[in-house]
Each structure stands twice: as C-alpha cells, then as structure tokens.
Amino acid sequence: MNKDQVKGRAKEAAGKIKEVTGKVVGNKQMEVDGKLEKNAGKVRSVVGDALHDLKKAK
C-alpha cells in the first residue's frame, strides 16, 4: 500500500463518520461536508490504487 491509498481510505472513513454524525444531530451542513470528504477520500484511494498497479506492472 502506498501513502495515497492509506490517506484516501482514512479520509473516506472520517468523512463517513462526519456524514453519519450530521444525520444523527440533524446538521445538514455537517452531513454534506462528510459526503464531500468521503468522496474526496475515495478519489485519492483510487489514484493510489492506480499508482500501485502501475508500479507493480513495471
């Protein structure tokens, strides 16, 4: 695993927690922020996966 994969998955988890917390407390802005953070984490994770695959293919 490379650092992009790790950081992406960590950000994805943090975003999910923030999203759920926003739903529970009824804070729409926190919920939206959590969804954005979760999706940004997914993107970084996918980039990390692609870089890992490229490095592995060499």
Side-chain angles (χ1 to χ4, degrees):
M1 273 191 127
N2 62 35
K3 66 181 179 180
D4 286 321
Q5 290 171 310
V6 173
K7 287 182 179 181
R9 287 187 175 88
K11 189 168 189 149
E12 190 175 342
K16 182 65 177 173
I17 291 168
K18 189 183 283 187
E19 178 186 358
V20 170
T21 302
K23 282 182 183 180
V24 169
V25 299
N27 185 335
K28 283 288 186 187
Q29 186 61 47
M30 183 184 281
E31 185 179 343
V32 169
D33 290 344
K35 285 181 183 181
L36 291 172
E37 190 173 331
K38 181 177 72 172
N39 289 330
K42 281 183 184 180
V43 169
R44 187 164 189 178
S45 181
V46 168
V47 168
D49 291 342
L51 291 173
H52 178 72
D53 290 344
L54 283 173
K55 195 174 197 179
K56 204 164 108 175
K58 284 186 174 182

